[in-house]
Amino acid sequence: MSVRRLADEAVQPQQFAFSDANAAWAQTTIRKYPEGRQQSAVIPLLMRAQEQDGWVTKAAIESVADMLDMPYIRVLEVATFYTQFQLKPIGTRAHIQVCGTTPCMLRGSEELISLCKRKIHGQPLTQNESGTLSWEEVECQGACVNAPMVMIFKDSYEDLTVERLEEIIDAFEAGRGAEIVPGPQIDRIFSAPIDGLTTLTEEPTPQRNQVTEPPAPAAPAEGASVPPSEAGRPKSTDAETNPTMKTPATAKSEAAANAKTEGGETKDAATVDTPEGGEKTDAKKQ
C-alpha cells in the first residue's frame, strides 16, 4: 500500500469547525460510548468532517483529537490508515472510485480507468481543471456479479460500459448527478440473472392444505356405557404394575410376617421396610 500523507500546507485551511447540526450530532455520537471509551468515536467523527468539507483536513484531524482528548498523532494514524478518508481535495461534484479487482478487470474496468484519465485527469486523486471531478482505482466494493462498477461518493453504479460511464460523468459534471439512478445500469433487478429468471418462472399458486383432519368421533348410542379412558394407566405388563398385587402398604400384616433377613431371622414388625424410597413405618401402629 502506498504511503498516505496529508495534503500540502498550501491547500490546508487554517481552521475547522463542525456546523451547528454536525456539532450536535458529534456530541450525541460521543455519548454513545461508555465513560473512558469516547475515543472510539474517532472514525465516525472523521467521516462526518469529510462529508462536511469534502476531505479530511489537518485542522479537522486536530479538532477531532481535541474533542476526544486524543494526541494528534493517534487521530493522524487513523486518518492515514483507512483509504476511505480523502487526505487531499477531491471533486466537488463527483469522486469516482473505479473497482479494479479481478472480476471487474475481466469485465472491462481497465477501459473505465482509461476513460477517467481522458475525461478527468491523467493522475488519480487529482481534480480536473474546474475542481468538480476526480477519480481513483480501488479494490473490491462488493458488487462482483454486476461488474464492472464504480462508486461515486456513497452510491454504486454497476453493469457499466464505457459509453454509460461517460454519460454518468457528464451528468455529474453538469450538476445533474441526482438524475442518475444508482445500481445496475442495464435492465435487471439488483443481482438477478442478466438473461432473465431461470427458476420460479411459474405464477405462484395458492398453497394447498396437506393436513387431513381426522373424522369426528361418533356419539355413543343412547344408554350405552362409555369405557374408561386408558390415558393415565401405565402401558406395562410387569407384575409390579399389577394394581391387584399386594404390597407392604396394602397388606401390612402379611408384609410384617414375610419380612426376613437373608439369615432367616424375622425382622421386628415395628420396623418393616417399605418400598424403595419410602420411610420405615411402625406396623404395630398401622
Side-chain angles (χ1 to χ4, degrees):
M1 186 175 68
S2 61
V3 177
R4 287 165 48 82
R5 303 182 184 279
L6 297 181
D8 293 337
E9 288 290 341
V11 298
Q12 293 283 357
Q14 295 300 312
Q15 57 185 3
F16 169 86
F18 278 121
S19 65
D20 292 342
N22 284 340
W25 175 90
Q27 293 301 323
T28 300
T29 300
I30 294 172
R31 287 194 295 270
K32 292 180 180 179
Y33 297 93
E35 187 64 30
R37 296 290 185 269
Q38 288 81 6
Q39 294 180 1
S40 299
V42 61
I43 288 180
L45 263 61
L46 285 175
M47 182 55 66
R48 184 55 66 101
Q50 176 169 288
E51 293 173 355
Q52 176 177 299
D53 289 358
W55 59 293
V56 177
T57 65
K58 179 182 177 182
I61 290 174
E62 295 175 352
S63 177
V64 169
D66 291 337
M67 293 176 66
L68 300 177
D69 193 24
M70 296 176 64
Y72 291 167
I73 185 61
R74 296 305 180 200
V75 183
L76 180 63
E77 288 173 343
V78 174
T80 56
F81 179 81
Y82 293 103
T83 56
Q84 66 188 17
F85 295 124
Q86 303 297 335
L87 302 181
K88 57 190 300 186
I90 58 175
T92 57
R93 293 182 179 174
H95 177 65
I96 301 169
Q97 296 178 311
V98 185
C99 179
T101 311
T102 305
C104 284
M105 181 187 67
L106 294 174
R107 298 276 291 175
S109 65
E110 292 179 338
E111 288 77 8
L112 302 184
I113 292 174
S114 297
L115 173 67
C116 291
K117 290 180 178 180
R118 185 173 70 253
K119 287 190 69 69
I120 301 174
H121 197 280
Q123 296 297 321
L125 295 169
T126 305
Q127 294 173 307
N128 61 352
E129 292 183 0
S130 60
T132 56
L133 300 174
S134 59
W135 73 277
E136 66 174 316
E137 181 182 356
V138 297
E139 294 302 316
C140 182
Q141 298 188 101
C144 303
V145 73
N146 301 82
M149 57 87 65
V150 303
M151 287 279 291
I152 301 179
F153 299 126
K154 293 184 177 181
D155 293 319
S156 64
Y157 301 83
E158 307 149 11
D159 295 304
L160 291 169
T161 61
V162 173
E163 294 75 19
R164 181 54 180 160
L165 180 57
E166 186 169 11
E167 294 173 355
I168 293 174
I169 292 175
D170 290 340
F172 275 93
E173 170 69 3
R176 296 183 289 103
E179 299 177 5
I180 307 298
V181 179
Q185 300 299 300
I186 60 174
D187 186 19
R188 74 153 136 182
I189 300 174
F190 301 121
S191 299
I194 195 170
D195 295 326
L197 294 177
T198 58
T199 60
L200 302 177
T201 56
E202 299 178 356
E203 289 293 328
T205 57
Q207 184 177 5
R208 295 185 296 273
N209 185 6
Q210 301 295 332
V211 179
T212 303
E213 297 293 338
E222 185 176 355
S225 61
V226 179
S229 172
E230 300 289 334
R233 297 186 180 181
K235 300 182 184 303
S236 173
T237 59
D238 295 337
E240 290 81 0
T241 62
N242 187 346
T244 63
M245 190 180 81
K246 295 181 179 181
T247 68
T250 59
K252 301 179 179 60
S253 58
E254 291 87 344
N258 294 330
K260 296 182 179 181
T261 62
E262 293 180 358
E265 297 180 358
T266 303
K267 291 184 179 180
D268 186 354
T271 57
V272 177
D273 290 338
T274 59
E276 183 178 358
E279 298 179 355
K280 293 181 179 181
T281 58
D282 189 342
K284 296 179 180 180
K285 294 181 180 180
Q286 298 178 4

Coordinates of all heavy atoms in Angstrom, one line a residue, residues 86-141:
Q86 N -10.3 10.8 2.5 CA -9.5 11.5 1.5 C -8.7 12.6 2.1 O -9.2 13.5 2.8 CB -10.5 12.1 0.5 CG -11.5 11.1 -0.2 CD -10.7 10.1 -1.0 OE1 -9.6 10.4 -1.5 NE2 -11.3 9.0 -1.2
L87 N -7.4 12.6 1.9 CA -6.5 13.5 2.6 C -6.1 14.7 1.7 O -5.3 15.5 2.1 CB -5.2 12.7 3.0 CG -5.4 11.5 3.9 CD1 -4.1 10.8 4.2 CD2 -6.2 11.9 5.1
K88 N -6.7 14.8 0.6 CA -6.5 16.0 -0.3 C -7.8 16.3 -1.0 O -8.7 15.5 -1.1 CB -5.4 15.7 -1.3 CG -5.6 14.5 -2.2 CD -4.4 14.2 -3.0 CE -3.9 15.3 -3.9 NZ -2.8 14.9 -4.7
P89 N -7.9 17.5 -1.5 CA -9.2 17.9 -2.1 C -9.5 17.0 -3.3 O -8.7 16.6 -4.1 CB -9.0 19.3 -2.6 CG -7.9 19.8 -1.7 CD -7.0 18.7 -1.4
I90 N -10.8 16.6 -3.4 CA -11.3 15.7 -4.5 C -12.4 16.5 -5.2 O -12.8 17.6 -4.8 CB -11.8 14.4 -4.0 CG1 -12.9 14.6 -2.9 CG2 -10.7 13.6 -3.4 CD1 -13.6 13.3 -2.5
G91 N -13.0 15.9 -6.2 CA -14.0 16.6 -7.0 C -15.2 17.0 -6.1 O -15.7 16.2 -5.3
T92 N -15.6 18.2 -6.3 CA -16.7 18.7 -5.5 C -18.1 18.1 -6.0 O -19.0 18.1 -5.2 CB -16.8 20.2 -5.6 OG1 -16.9 20.6 -7.0 CG2 -15.5 20.8 -5.0
R93 N -18.2 17.7 -7.2 CA -19.4 17.2 -7.7 C -19.4 15.6 -7.8 O -20.5 15.0 -7.7 CB -19.8 17.8 -9.1 CG -20.1 19.3 -9.0 CD -20.5 19.9 -10.3 NE -20.8 21.3 -10.2 CZ -21.1 22.1 -11.2 NH1 -21.0 21.6 -12.5 NH2 -21.4 23.3 -11.0
A94 N -18.2 15.1 -8.0 CA -18.2 13.6 -8.1 C -16.7 13.2 -7.9 O -15.8 13.7 -8.5 CB -18.7 13.1 -9.5
H95 N -16.5 12.2 -7.1 CA -15.3 11.5 -6.9 C -15.5 10.0 -7.3 O -16.3 9.3 -6.6 CB -14.7 11.6 -5.5 CG -13.4 10.8 -5.3 ND1 -12.3 11.2 -6.0 CD2 -13.1 9.7 -4.6 CE1 -11.3 10.3 -5.7 NE2 -11.8 9.4 -4.8
I96 N -15.0 9.6 -8.4 CA -15.3 8.3 -9.0 C -14.3 7.3 -8.6 O -13.1 7.4 -8.9 CB -15.4 8.4 -10.5 CG1 -16.5 9.4 -10.9 CG2 -15.7 7.0 -11.1 CD1 -16.5 9.8 -12.4
Q97 N -14.7 6.2 -7.9 CA -13.9 5.2 -7.4 C -14.1 4.0 -8.3 O -15.2 3.3 -8.3 CB -14.1 4.8 -6.0 CG -13.8 6.0 -5.0 CD -14.1 5.6 -3.6 OE1 -15.1 5.1 -3.2 NE2 -13.1 5.8 -2.7
V98 N -13.2 3.6 -9.2 CA -13.3 2.5 -10.1 C -12.7 1.3 -9.5 O -11.6 1.2 -9.1 CB -12.6 2.9 -11.4 CG1 -12.8 1.8 -12.5 CG2 -13.0 4.2 -12.0
C99 N -13.6 0.2 -9.4 CA -13.1 -1.0 -8.9 C -12.2 -1.7 -9.9 O -12.6 -1.9 -11.1 CB -14.3 -2.0 -8.6 SG -13.8 -3.6 -8.0
G100 N -11.0 -2.1 -9.5 CA -10.0 -2.7 -10.4 C -9.7 -4.2 -10.0 O -8.7 -4.7 -10.5
T101 N -10.5 -4.8 -9.1 CA -10.2 -6.1 -8.7 C -10.6 -7.1 -9.8 O -11.3 -6.7 -10.8 CB -11.0 -6.4 -7.4 OG1 -10.7 -5.4 -6.5 CG2 -10.5 -7.7 -6.8
T102 N -10.2 -8.4 -9.7 CA -10.2 -9.3 -10.8 C -11.6 -9.4 -11.6 O -11.6 -9.3 -12.8 CB -9.8 -10.7 -10.3 OG1 -8.5 -10.6 -9.7 CG2 -9.8 -11.7 -11.5
P103 N -12.7 -9.6 -10.9 CA -14.0 -9.7 -11.6 C -14.3 -8.4 -12.5 O -14.7 -8.6 -13.7 CB -15.1 -9.9 -10.5 CG -14.3 -10.5 -9.4 CD -13.0 -9.8 -9.4
C104 N -14.0 -7.3 -11.9 CA -14.3 -6.0 -12.7 C -13.2 -5.9 -13.8 O -13.5 -5.4 -14.9 CB -14.3 -4.8 -11.8 SG -15.8 -4.6 -10.8
M105 N -12.0 -6.3 -13.5 CA -10.9 -6.2 -14.5 C -11.3 -7.1 -15.7 O -11.1 -6.7 -16.9 CB -9.6 -6.6 -14.0 CG -8.4 -6.5 -14.9 SD -6.9 -7.2 -14.3 CE -7.4 -8.9 -14.2
L106 N -11.8 -8.3 -15.5 CA -12.2 -9.2 -16.6 C -13.3 -8.7 -17.4 O -13.5 -9.1 -18.5 CB -12.5 -10.6 -16.0 CG -11.3 -11.3 -15.3 CD1 -11.8 -12.6 -14.7 CD2 -10.2 -11.6 -16.3
R107 N -14.1 -7.8 -16.7 CA -15.3 -7.3 -17.4 C -15.1 -5.9 -18.0 O -16.1 -5.2 -18.4 CB -16.5 -7.3 -16.4 CG -16.9 -8.7 -15.9 CD -17.8 -9.4 -16.9 NE -19.1 -8.7 -16.9 CZ -20.1 -9.1 -17.7 NH1 -19.9 -10.0 -18.6 NH2 -21.2 -8.4 -17.7
G108 N -13.9 -5.4 -17.9 CA -13.6 -4.1 -18.6 C -13.3 -2.9 -17.8 O -13.4 -1.8 -18.3
S109 N -12.9 -3.1 -16.5 CA -12.6 -1.9 -15.7 C -11.4 -1.1 -16.2 O -11.3 0.1 -16.0 CB -12.3 -2.3 -14.2 OG -11.2 -3.1 -14.1
E110 N -10.5 -1.7 -16.9 CA -9.3 -1.0 -17.4 C -9.7 0.0 -18.5 O -9.2 1.1 -18.5 CB -8.3 -2.0 -18.0 CG -7.6 -2.9 -17.0 CD -6.7 -3.8 -17.6 OE1 -6.8 -4.1 -18.8 OE2 -5.8 -4.3 -16.9
E111 N -10.8 -0.3 -19.2 CA -11.3 0.7 -20.2 C -12.0 1.8 -19.4 O -11.9 3.0 -19.9 CB -12.3 0.0 -21.1 CG -11.7 -0.9 -22.2 CD -11.3 -2.2 -21.6 OE1 -11.6 -2.5 -20.4 OE2 -10.6 -3.0 -22.3
L112 N -12.6 1.5 -18.3 CA -13.2 2.6 -17.5 C -12.2 3.5 -16.9 O -12.4 4.8 -16.9 CB -14.1 2.0 -16.4 CG -15.2 1.1 -16.8 CD1 -16.0 0.6 -15.5 CD2 -16.1 1.7 -17.8
I113 N -11.1 3.0 -16.5 CA -10.0 3.8 -15.9 C -9.4 4.7 -17.0 O -9.1 5.9 -16.8 CB -8.9 2.9 -15.3 CG1 -9.4 2.2 -14.1 CG2 -7.6 3.7 -15.0 CD1 -8.5 1.2 -13.4
S114 N -9.2 4.1 -18.2 CA -8.7 4.9 -19.4 C -9.7 6.1 -19.7 O -9.2 7.2 -20.0 CB -8.6 4.0 -20.6 OG -7.6 3.0 -20.4
L115 N -11.0 5.8 -19.5 CA -11.9 6.9 -19.7 C -11.8 8.0 -18.7 O -11.8 9.2 -19.0 CB -13.4 6.4 -19.7 CG -14.5 7.4 -19.7 CD1 -14.5 8.1 -21.1 CD2 -15.8 6.7 -19.4
C116 N -11.6 7.6 -17.4 CA -11.4 8.6 -16.4 C -10.1 9.4 -16.6 O -10.1 10.7 -16.4 CB -11.4 7.9 -15.0 SG -12.9 7.2 -14.5
K117 N -9.1 8.8 -17.1 CA -7.8 9.5 -17.3 C -8.1 10.5 -18.5 O -7.5 11.6 -18.4 CB -6.7 8.5 -17.7 CG -6.2 7.7 -16.6 CD -5.1 6.7 -17.0 CE -4.6 5.9 -15.9 NZ -3.5 5.0 -16.3
R118 N -8.9 10.2 -19.4 CA -9.1 11.0 -20.6 C -10.0 12.2 -20.2 O -9.8 13.3 -20.7 CB -9.6 10.2 -21.7 CG -9.8 11.0 -23.0 CD -10.2 10.1 -24.2 NE -11.6 9.6 -24.1 CZ -11.9 8.4 -23.8 NH1 -10.9 7.5 -23.5 NH2 -13.2 8.0 -23.7
K119 N -11.1 11.9 -19.5 CA -12.1 12.9 -19.3 C -11.9 13.8 -18.0 O -12.4 14.9 -17.9 CB -13.5 12.3 -19.1 CG -14.1 11.8 -20.5 CD -15.5 11.4 -20.3 CE -16.4 12.6 -20.1 NZ -16.5 13.5 -21.2
I120 N -11.1 13.2 -17.0 CA -11.0 13.9 -15.7 C -9.5 14.4 -15.6 O -9.3 15.6 -15.6 CB -11.4 13.0 -14.6 CG1 -12.9 12.6 -14.7 CG2 -11.2 13.7 -13.2 CD1 -13.4 11.6 -13.7
H121 N -8.6 13.5 -15.4 CA -7.2 13.8 -15.2 C -6.4 12.6 -15.4 O -6.8 11.5 -15.1 CB -7.0 14.4 -13.8 CG -5.7 15.2 -13.7 ND1 -4.4 14.5 -13.5 CD2 -5.4 16.5 -13.8 CE1 -3.5 15.5 -13.5 NE2 -4.0 16.7 -13.6
G122 N -5.2 12.8 -15.9 CA -4.3 11.6 -16.1 C -3.8 10.9 -14.9 O -3.4 9.8 -14.9
Q123 N -3.9 11.6 -13.7 CA -3.4 11.1 -12.4 C -4.6 10.9 -11.5 O -5.5 11.7 -11.4 CB -2.4 12.0 -11.8 CG -1.1 12.1 -12.6 CD -0.4 10.8 -12.7 OE1 -0.3 10.0 -11.8 NE2 0.2 10.5 -13.9
P124 N -4.6 9.8 -10.7 CA -5.7 9.6 -9.8 C -5.6 10.6 -8.6 O -4.6 11.2 -8.4 CB -5.5 8.1 -9.3 CG -4.0 7.9 -9.5 CD -3.7 8.6 -10.7
L125 N -6.7 10.8 -7.9 CA -6.8 11.7 -6.8 C -6.4 13.1 -7.1 O -5.8 13.8 -6.3 CB -6.0 11.1 -5.6 CG -6.5 9.8 -5.0 CD1 -5.5 9.2 -4.1 CD2 -7.9 10.0 -4.4
T126 N -6.7 13.5 -8.3 CA -6.3 14.8 -8.8 C -7.5 15.4 -9.4 O -8.2 14.8 -10.3 CB -5.2 14.8 -9.8 OG1 -4.0 14.1 -9.2 CG2 -4.7 16.2 -10.2
Q127 N -7.9 16.6 -9.0 CA -9.1 17.3 -9.6 C -8.9 17.7 -11.0 O -7.8 17.9 -11.5 CB -9.4 18.5 -8.7 CG -9.8 18.3 -7.3 CD -10.0 19.5 -6.5 OE1 -9.1 20.4 -6.5 NE2 -11.1 19.7 -5.9
N128 N -10.0 17.8 -11.8 CA -9.9 18.3 -13.1 C -9.8 19.8 -13.0 O -9.6 20.4 -11.9 CB -11.2 17.9 -13.9 CG -12.5 18.5 -13.3 OD1 -12.4 19.0 -12.2 ND2 -13.6 18.4 -13.9
E129 N -9.7 20.5 -14.1 CA -9.4 21.9 -14.2 C -10.4 22.7 -13.4 O -10.0 23.7 -12.7 CB -9.3 22.4 -15.6 CG -8.2 21.8 -16.4 CD -8.1 22.4 -17.8 OE1 -9.0 23.2 -18.1 OE2 -7.2 22.0 -18.5
S130 N -11.7 22.4 -13.4 CA -12.7 23.1 -12.7 C -12.8 22.7 -11.3 O -13.6 23.3 -10.5 CB -14.0 23.0 -13.4 OG -14.4 21.6 -13.5
G131 N -12.2 21.6 -10.9 CA -12.2 21.1 -9.5 C -13.5 20.4 -9.1 O -13.8 20.1 -8.0
T132 N -14.3 20.0 -10.2 CA -15.6 19.4 -9.9 C -15.5 17.8 -9.9 O -16.3 17.2 -9.4 CB -16.6 19.8 -10.9 OG1 -16.1 19.5 -12.3 CG2 -16.9 21.3 -10.8
L133 N -14.4 17.3 -10.6 CA -14.4 15.8 -10.7 C -13.0 15.3 -10.3 O -12.0 16.0 -10.5 CB -14.6 15.4 -12.2 CG -16.0 15.8 -12.8 CD1 -16.0 15.4 -14.3 CD2 -17.1 15.1 -12.1
S134 N -12.9 14.1 -9.9 CA -11.7 13.4 -9.6 C -12.0 11.9 -9.6 O -13.1 11.5 -9.7 CB -11.1 13.8 -8.2 OG -12.0 13.5 -7.2
W135 N -10.9 11.1 -9.6 CA -11.1 9.6 -9.7 C -10.0 8.9 -9.0 O -8.9 9.5 -8.8 CB -11.3 9.1 -11.2 CG -9.9 9.2 -11.9 CD1 -9.4 10.3 -12.5 CD2 -9.0 8.1 -12.1 NE1 -8.2 10.0 -13.0 CE2 -7.9 8.6 -12.8 CE3 -9.0 6.8 -11.7 CZ2 -6.8 7.8 -13.1 CZ3 -7.9 6.0 -12.0 CH2 -6.8 6.5 -12.7
E136 N -10.2 7.6 -8.8 CA -9.1 6.8 -8.3 C -9.5 5.3 -8.5 O -10.7 5.0 -8.6 CB -8.8 7.0 -6.8 CG -10.0 6.6 -5.9 CD -9.7 6.7 -4.4 OE1 -8.5 6.2 -4.0 OE2 -10.5 7.2 -3.6
E137 N -8.5 4.4 -8.5 CA -8.8 3.0 -8.6 C -8.8 2.4 -7.2 O -7.9 2.7 -6.4 CB -7.7 2.3 -9.5 CG -7.9 0.8 -9.6 CD -6.8 0.1 -10.4 OE1 -5.9 0.8 -10.9 OE2 -6.9 -1.1 -10.5
V138 N -9.8 1.6 -6.9 CA -9.9 1.0 -5.6 C -10.0 -0.5 -5.7 O -10.1 -1.1 -6.8 CB -11.1 1.5 -4.8 CG1 -10.9 3.0 -4.6 CG2 -12.4 1.3 -5.6
E139 N -10.0 -1.2 -4.6 CA -10.2 -2.6 -4.5 C -11.7 -3.0 -4.5 O -12.5 -2.1 -4.5 CB -9.4 -3.2 -3.3 CG -7.9 -3.1 -3.5 CD -7.4 -3.8 -4.7 OE1 -7.8 -4.9 -5.0 OE2 -6.5 -3.2 -5.4
C140 N -12.0 -4.3 -4.3 CA -13.3 -4.8 -4.4 C -14.3 -4.0 -3.6 O -14.1 -3.7 -2.4 CB -13.4 -6.2 -4.0 SG -15.0 -7.0 -4.2
Q141 N -15.5 -3.6 -4.2 CA -16.5 -2.9 -3.5 C -17.8 -3.7 -3.4 O -18.9 -3.2 -3.1 CB -16.8 -1.6 -4.2 CG -15.5 -0.7 -4.2 CD -15.8 0.7 -4.8 OE1 -15.9 1.6 -4.0 NE2 -15.9 0.8 -6.1

